[in-house]
Amino acid sequence: MASSTPTTPDPSCLNRDKLSGGDQLLCLIQDPYSGTFHADAFWASLGTSIGIMILITLAFSAMRPRNTIVYAPKVKYADEKHAPPKIGKGFFEWIGPVFQAKEPLLVEKTGLDAAIFLRFTKMLRNMFLVLSVIGVLVLIPANVIGSNKGFISTNFKGSQSYFVTMTPQYPNPTRLSYIWVHVVAVWAIDLIVAFFLWRNYGAVVRLRRQYFDSPEYLMSLHSRTLMVTDIPPADRTDEGILRLADQIEHTAGLPRTTIGRNVKVLPDMIEEHDEAVRALESVLAKYLKNPDKLPAKRPSMRASKKYRANNGGDNVDAIDYLTSRIRELELEINHIRESIDKRNAMPFGFASYERIEDAHTVAFAAKKKHPQGTTVRLAPRPNDLIWQNLPLSKKQRDWRRLWNNFWILILTLLWIAPNALIAIFLSNIANLASIWPAFRPNFQRHQKIWSAVQGIASPALTSLIYLILPIIFRRLSIRSGDTTKTSRERHVTTKLYAFFVFNNLIVFSVFSVVYGFVSAVIKNSKSEDAWEAVVKGQFFYKLLAGLSNVSYFWVVWLLQRQLGAAADLAQIINLVWVWFCRTFMAPTPRQEIEWTAPPPFDYAVYYNYFLFYATVALCFSTLQPLVIPITALYFAIDYWLKKYLLLYVLITKTESGGQYWRILFNRMIFAVCLSNVIMGLVIRGADGGWFKVYFMIPPAFLMLGVKYWCASMFDNQMIYYTKATLKDPENLAEPGKKVRKNDRVANRFGHPALYKPLMTPMVHAKARHVLGQIYRGRLESDVGAKTGYSDIAMDPMSHGQPGKTARFAPPAEREMFEVVPESQLDFENFKNRAEFADALGGNGELYGRPDDLISERSSTPRSFLGRHGSGGSGNSSRATSPAGSSRSASAHQRVGSGNSYRRPVGEGTTQHPAYRDDPASQGDLGQSRRGGRGMYQMSNDSSENRLLNGAQPFGRATPPDGEVVGREAYGLDRWRTGGSGYMGVPAREEEEGGITGYDYYRGRR
């Protein structure tokens, strides 16, 4: 049983004024939350958070109608299908459309990831609203009844006594039976959380099944494609991937396959080229800020150490140096692109099936099969891949993952010391005054002011410290071998959550308790037996007292989260940063365009925050029941604010199709189990025995049972479109049956470095007339007009003058810089450009241009005016001006100093050498291309398309002896007999009678 008199701190610490600074610090470590600041800080936080949040919301309502690019960019940029509901210009007219938007509309307008995020937020809101009934109507009255009011009234004054009475910190020894209320409350909380998790798990599964049946998914290439990694050297061919897929599961359809190619240092060189372009743009923006009054001295810079020896010293002319580097990099990039071929294969590849059912059946069967040590899974969207990690072997990934976890562990442990100091001083400024004599008089004169500072500054500073953590964890996750951005974000979420729970919750909350207990044991062990010293240390009651004291900090901290939600709505950080850059700096045209784009939503950060808030509330639900309604209030407000942001402002950069849910579910299960452990320790400290603690063991097993039951019932439904498919006897037996057209698997799942257009330096139109004065270099390409992308030696065609070669094109097509007028500095004019769409446009679905959509006419992925929608010719390696309107086509021009600049050619014109059909590879999957069109042909110029119309097919292999002429030879025909599904593939793709569209997949399965 608990002692009749609550334990007090070390007697030597009762009169701290007579102690030295070092002794006072030791006493503060034992009891960092002493003082009477808690009540004042609570009311200050409540008033400031609610008041400032209302003011920010009113300011947003006033600014919104006049700043649609900031507060509703998706209204302007989204296509008709994904455009959010229209909002009037009235002060509060934004509330109605947000309130009326239901989940089906959210899925259609924002995507499944955003809809599941809002569902998760809504689940937490509803869950804590229900738990608030238990906290306010059951736990608080029970704690008030069972508290030792005599001791509290003697030692605490004013409003502080009310807050202490709400906790079980000082129980009345004659009324310990009230502890059973806490035991029953733990059972009730676990059952309520389990119900909400189970109910929403089923709802998420229904959303995923609807997503599988959506036209976007059924008409996408990734939905029917498998990704194969860890391929052994002997199987690193298109035919080898077919063999591996056949070992897993026989299917009616024959997949199209492509093996990964070694792109060498091409991605690094493209990244260096992009950095050089941005650096040149920044130099020109500063130098040409006032073009009519140029600085007397040209800009200079310190050359890179790698190239310093070739530039005659450390400081070089910045404009000449950067333009020279851009030229050299473009030449090297073109050379490497032309040198890549099929002979240098990588240990990964892709296989695309005609039917979604076949791909998912093979993927499900591959869960337990790893033929030749490979790993086969459903392919993500092409823009979701982290290409640099695909070639890694299992051993390399395991080793990198081990090192990644090691560095995260080191970072977590290193943060303990500064986190402990934050727990001592930031959570209670009185502690700082006690050891800092110079600060003490000021603190004593203005205690009310410093109490408000503590309530506002302490949580705010704590939050700012962790802004850099997601950046660190993302880089570590990439280095650990994550193959997709979605898996990287999931790992970032889990690692952030683990870091926050360990450092911000466990260490922050119990550090002082553990230190005080260890100090007492060491002191008592000098005169007593070690075990007796441990028993007299009263660890469990010290833990109860320490957690009760720190609960005030978490109440204040959760109250301050309202400010963050309101700041997100008002886009305060973005507005201040853009204003600062435009006022005091010289932004480049590219930066100004990027500022007008819809910003991406950081799912990992916000999921971590929400999970952490929920964990804190659950862990302190019986210790300080006020955290429950405060958490419910936060989620109730933030649900509507985030709903507006996801509808009108923020986009999903990489759509995963709802793949975050399982990590959210598992972390909520962990949060409940952790709260049960804390509740058990608290009950042990308050009651003094273990009998009541035993009744809290079954709820933990209940939560684990819910986890495994939901996993067995729902997980496969969430991942796979189907787990098995019937073999089609007609398809297997009919050798002449037509197959779908080439779906360009190698194009959509080819490395972007092979065809990604290079960036072009942008300058403001106001400086156009002085470019000839400041640009002194001549970037005449040494590369001939020939390109290794085609078997026909031809100069690239000018897209502006059909029938003319690019070398005689107008200067706007040949020159160095792209001039952008002030009126065109808008993301609307550039959203289909590669360098903008990749970073700011998600996968293009928001703007009606998804990357891997299969066209309804040809069943091939659409090229969309080139892979990234550039309106110019496909013959240039450099990004062209935005297409879509004559205004845009004429507004942005490339100019130089009068010296002609012939752009490097080769990318995106015809078939890349890495995927060209050659006689040696025709035994695999080297099908002939009608009219000589290569896999990377992306031009949309009608005259250029008609130029080779009807030309004789090239690159066909000589049929082997005994082979029927006119039927294409697949490599697997040599070892698999007729009637097995590989024989009878037509010799060439048919122009007519192919898949006609979405109805095919809906009606002919």
Side-chain angles (χ1 to χ4, degrees):
M1 301 292 290
S3 59
S4 58
T5 303
T7 302
T8 60
D10 188 346
S12 62
C13 297
L14 293 178
N15 192 359
R16 296 180 180 177
D17 294 338
K18 299 181 180 180
L19 299 177
S20 64
D23 293 336
Q24 289 187 43
L25 178 62
L26 295 178
C27 290
L28 288 176
I29 293 176
Q30 296 181 46
D31 186 18
Y33 305 103
S34 62
T36 60
F37 251 47
H38 306 309
D40 295 334
F42 171 81
W43 294 115
S45 298
L46 179 62
T48 55
S49 61
I50 300 298
I52 296 177
M53 183 194 66
I54 293 175
L55 291 177
I56 293 177
T57 305
L58 293 176
F60 158 78
S61 300
M63 294 187 296
R64 180 194 59 81
R66 303 174 182 85
N67 297 273
T68 56
I69 293 181
V70 176
Y71 296 117
K74 293 170 70 172
V75 174
K76 180 178 181 181
Y77 301 136
D79 64 352
E80 183 179 357
K81 179 179 180 180
H82 299 92
K86 294 183 178 180
I87 305 180
K89 298 292 185 179
F91 197 78
F92 291 114
E93 289 192 25
W94 62 275
I95 298 178
V98 174
F99 182 80
Q100 296 170 5
K102 304 302 180 183
E103 192 169 69
L105 180 68
L106 294 173
V107 173
E108 178 183 355
K109 303 299 183 182
T110 66
L112 189 55
D113 279 342
I116 289 181
F117 175 85
L118 292 174
R119 170 167 279 277
F120 179 69
T121 308
K122 185 178 180 180
M123 180 195 77
L124 294 178
R125 180 200 67 183
N126 296 340
M127 184 176 71
F128 280 104
L129 284 175
V130 175
L131 294 179
S132 297
V133 176
I134 298 177
V136 174
L137 300 183
V138 178
L139 289 175
I140 290 181
N143 289 336
V144 171
I145 293 173
S147 62
N148 191 336
K149 297 180 178 61
F151 178 85
I152 294 175
S153 60
T154 303
N155 293 273
F156 299 95
K157 306 298 182 183
S159 59
Q160 179 67 20
S161 62
Y162 298 114
F163 286 92
V164 175
T165 305
M166 294 181 188
T167 70
Q169 182 176 0
Y170 301 105
N172 190 333
T174 62
R175 296 181 179 179
L176 291 179
S177 59
Y178 87 97
I179 299 297
W180 282 108
V181 176
H182 289 256
V183 176
V184 175
V186 168
W187 275 84
I189 290 173
D190 285 16
L191 291 174
I192 291 171
V193 174
F195 169 77
F196 276 97
L197 290 175
W198 165 77
R199 186 172 180 270
N200 282 273
Y201 211 130
V204 171
V205 170
R206 288 193 294 272
L207 290 175
R208 281 283 292 178
R209 301 309 299 180
Q210 294 170 9
Y211 169 74
F212 286 151
D213 290 330
S214 65
E216 291 82 3
Y217 186 80
L218 293 173
M219 293 301 296
S220 65
L221 182 60
H222 78 276
S223 65
R224 67 199 70 239
T225 304
L226 301 178
M227 181 173 69
V228 187
T229 55
D230 307 314
I231 302 176
D235 293 316
R236 292 176 187 176
T237 62
D238 294 343
E239 178 182 338
I241 298 178
L242 279 174
R243 287 197 182 97
L244 293 172
D246 187 75
Q247 292 178 30
I248 298 173
E249 184 76 13
H250 295 320
T251 58
L254 181 68
R256 306 282 185 172
T257 60
T258 179
I259 192 70
R261 307 299 169 191
N262 186 1
V263 295
K264 305 176 183 178
V265 295
L266 196 53
D268 295 333
M269 296 189 67
I270 293 177
E271 182 179 0
E272 185 180 354
H273 173 274
D274 293 347
E275 292 175 356
V277 169
R278 289 183 178 272
L280 178 60
E281 291 174 343
S282 179
V283 169
L284 291 175
K286 296 175 183 177
Y287 186 62
L288 303 176
K289 188 173 183 179
N290 186 358
D292 296 328
K293 190 178 180 180
L294 297 178
K297 185 179 179 181
R298 286 172 62 88
S300 61
M301 64 180 296
R302 186 179 179 86
S304 173
K305 187 176 181 180
K306 181 179 179 181
Y307 308 104
R308 194 170 299 165
N310 300 328
N311 290 278
D314 292 344
N315 291 327
V316 296
D317 185 281
I319 299 175
D320 292 344
Y321 169 74
L322 291 172
T323 52
S324 176
R325 283 298 304 142
I326 293 171
R327 171 187 181 272
E328 294 171 1
L329 287 169
E330 286 181 348
L331 295 177
E332 294 176 13
I333 289 170
N334 287 327
H335 175 72
I336 295 176
R337 281 176 169 175
E338 293 172 356
S339 65
I340 295 173
D341 56 34
K342 279 190 171 183
R343 291 169 293 183
N344 196 356
M346 300 299 286
F348 67 89
F350 301 89
S352 180
Y353 288 81
E354 180 179 355
R355 302 195 311 159
I356 297 178
E357 294 91 335
D358 292 340
H360 285 244
T361 298
V362 175
F364 178 76
K367 290 176 60 178
K368 299 180 180 180
K369 298 180 181 179
H370 296 272
Q372 307 300 322
T374 61
T375 300
V376 181
R377 63 176 73 93
L378 293 170
R381 297 172 185 264
N383 72 319
D384 194 14
L385 290 167
I386 301 177
W387 291 93
Q388 67 197 66
N389 289 336
L390 290 180
L392 297 177
S393 65
K394 289 182 179 179
K395 184 177 180 180
Q396 288 175 316
R397 277 193 289 268
D398 292 341
W399 184 250
R400 288 191 176 193
R401 193 175 296 112
L402 178 63
W403 274 106
N404 179 58
N405 293 331
F406 171 76
W407 286 116
I408 291 178
L409 176 62
I410 294 297
L411 179 63
T412 303
L413 295 178
L414 289 177
W415 184 245
I416 291 178
N419 198 30
L421 296 177
I422 293 174
I424 295 172
F425 296 113
L426 285 184
S427 61
N428 194 344
I429 298 180
N431 295 338
L432 182 63
S434 64
I435 66 171
W436 188 7
F439 173 68
R440 191 178 305 160
N442 183 281
F443 172 77
Q444 293 175 348
R445 288 194 303 268
H446 309 287
Q447 288 197 20
K448 297 295 182 181
I449 296 177
W450 285 112
S451 66
V453 171
Q454 174 183 303
I456 299 172
S458 172
L461 183 59
T462 305
S463 300
L464 288 175
I465 294 174
Y466 293 101
L467 289 178
I468 196 174
L469 280 178
I471 300 174
I472 297 175
F473 286 156
R474 280 193 180 91
R475 294 182 178 180
L476 290 174
S477 294
I478 293 177
R479 293 177 63 88
S480 68
D482 285 341
T483 56
T484 65
K485 298 172 185 175
T486 297
S487 64
R488 178 198 66 190
E489 293 301 297
R490 291 202 305 263
H491 290 156
V492 169
T493 304
T494 57
K495 289 176 173 58
L496 278 175
Y497 177 73
F499 185 93
F500 269 57
V501 168
F502 179 77
N503 269 306
N504 287 13
L505 182 57
I506 297 177
V507 173
F508 185 86
S509 301
V510 305
F511 178 83
S512 61
V513 175
V514 174
Y515 182 87
F517 172 74
V518 173
S519 300
V521 170
I522 294 176
K523 183 177 181 180
N524 295 332
S525 62
K526 295 179 180 179
S527 57
E528 299 176 352
D529 180 72
W531 178 248
E532 291 295 330
V534 170
V535 172
K536 288 186 177 181
Q538 293 184 306
F539 172 77
F540 293 106
Y541 182 76
K542 287 183 181 293
L543 180 65
L544 168 63
L547 292 176
S548 298
N549 287 332
V550 79
S551 66
Y552 302 110
F553 172 83
W554 291 117
V555 169
V556 172
W557 191 80
L558 289 171
L559 281 172
Q560 293 297 322
R561 299 311 94 201
Q562 314 293 341
L563 294 178
D568 288 342
L569 176 67
Q571 298 288 289
I572 292 177
I573 297 177
N574 292 339
L575 286 175
V576 172
W577 174 248
V578 171
W579 170 83
F580 177 83
C581 291
R582 286 177 172 167
T583 304
F584 301 103
M585 302 176 69
T588 67
R590 190 179 306 276
Q591 289 175 327
E592 296 198 46
I593 293 168
E594 291 173 345
W595 289 338
T596 64
F601 184 68
D602 197 336
Y603 286 96
V605 170
Y606 283 100
Y607 273 138
N608 168 64
Y609 286 159
F610 285 10
L611 287 170
F612 184 67
Y613 301 160
T615 304
V616 171
L618 289 173
C619 289
F620 288 90
S621 56
T622 59
L623 275 167
Q624 181 53 268
L626 282 177
V627 300
I628 303 178
I630 290 173
T631 306
L633 175 64
Y634 169 79
F635 286 121
I637 294 174
D638 207 23
Y639 171 73
W640 296 109
L641 302 186
K642 289 297 187 294
K643 192 175 182 180
Y644 174 87
L645 289 173
L646 289 171
L647 265 174
Y648 293 95
V649 181
L650 305 174
I651 65 169
T652 301
K653 186 175 181 179
T654 304
E655 177 68 44
S656 72
Q659 296 184 35
Y660 289 94
W661 171 255
R662 287 193 297 169
I663 66 169
L664 305 177
F665 179 87
N666 291 336
R667 269 69 203 166
M668 287 300 299
I669 294 291
F670 169 81
V672 174
C673 294
L674 178 63
S675 69
N676 288 351
V677 172
I678 293 178
M679 302 296 181
L681 296 176
V682 167
I683 291 176
R684 171 63 179 81
D687 182 68
W690 291 99
F691 181 72
K692 296 182 179 66
V693 178
Y694 297 148
F695 285 88
M696 300 181 62
I697 297 178
F701 288 97
L702 169 67
M703 299 306 299
L704 295 177
V706 170
K707 167 184 165 53
Y708 289 108
W709 184 83
C710 289
S712 62
M713 289 293 295
F714 298 130
D715 279 2
N716 288 333
Q717 299 182 53
M718 287 187 61
I719 300 173
Y720 302 104
Y721 183 81
T722 182
K723 295 186 290 185
T725 182
L726 296 176
K727 307 297 187 300
D728 187 352
E730 295 181 1
N731 194 325
L732 294 173
E734 187 178 346
K737 183 171 180 161
K738 298 178 181 179
V739 297
R740 65 189 171 102
K741 296 171 182 284
N742 177 21
D743 53 14
R744 298 184 182 180
V745 182
N747 185 340
R748 294 307 174 198
F749 286 98
H751 201 297
L754 294 173
Y755 50 77
K756 180 182 179 180
L758 301 180
M759 291 169 55
T760 304
M762 291 180 170
V763 294
H764 289 285
K766 65 180 182 181
R768 178 179 181 180
H769 63 285
V770 298
L771 283 177
Q773 304 174 29
I774 60 100
Y775 174 59
R776 302 182 300 199
R778 176 180 176 84
L779 296 183
E780 181 67 29
S781 176
D782 295 332
V783 180
K786 285 187 180 182
T787 172
Y789 281 51
S790 174
D791 287 354
I792 300 177
M794 299 182 64
D795 287 338
M797 182 185 297
S798 168
H799 71 277
Q801 296 183 2
K804 301 291 185 180
T805 63
R807 68 170 67 186
F808 301 112
E813 291 185 39
R814 295 186 282 108
E815 301 299 347
M816 175 65 189
F817 301 103
E818 182 175 359
V819 174
V820 186
E822 296 293 328
S823 60
Q824 302 300 316
L825 294 175
D826 194 326
F827 182 68
E828 172 67 22
N829 300 314
F830 297 86
K831 63 186 181 183
N832 297 322
R833 287 267 292 269
E835 65 265 34
F836 293 99
D838 289 348
L840 303 170
N843 68 333
E845 187 173 338
L846 175 66
Y847 312 121
R849 311 172 78 89
D851 279 351
D852 64 343
L853 180 64
I854 300 176
S855 65
E856 297 184 1
R857 179 186 179 112
S858 63
S859 185
T860 62
R862 290 178 180 168
S863 58
F864 291 125
L865 304 176
R867 183 182 186 275
H868 294 280
S870 59
S873 171
N875 300 319
S876 174
S877 65
R878 308 182 69 144
T880 57
S881 299
S885 67
S886 59
R887 176 193 64 174
S888 299
S890 62
H892 318 294
Q893 301 178 6
R894 304 178 193 281
V895 298
S897 60
N899 299 324
S900 64
Y901 169 67
R902 185 166 66 239
R903 295 172 299 170
V905 296
E907 295 79 46
T909 53
T910 54
Q911 187 179 9
H912 192 279
Y915 302 105
R916 184 187 303 157
D917 297 321
D918 59 86
S921 64
Q922 287 298 316
D924 299 341
L925 279 178
Q927 289 185 269
S928 63
R929 308 285 189 252
R930 180 179 292 272
R933 289 182 63 85
M935 189 160 296
Y936 281 87
Q937 176 66 31
M938 297 181 291
S939 174
N940 283 277
D941 194 299
S942 60
S943 63
E944 192 171 351
N945 291 339
R946 293 194 297 268
L947 186 60
L948 299 179
N949 188 30
Q952 178 69 23
F954 60 91
R956 288 192 61 96
T958 302
D961 295 339
E963 184 62 69
V964 179
V965 178
R967 179 167 62 84
E968 185 149 338
Y970 277 76
L972 290 177
D973 292 345
R974 298 195 297 269
W975 59 274
R976 193 164 180 178
T977 58
S980 58
Y982 287 84
M983 300 295 292
V985 179
R988 63 180 64 186
E989 297 162 355
E990 301 292 340
E991 289 292 335
E992 303 293 337
I995 298 174
T996 58
Y998 168 62
D999 291 338
Y1000 171 84
Y1001 299 104
R1002 297 290 290 170
R1004 295 184 57 186
R1005 286 200 290 271

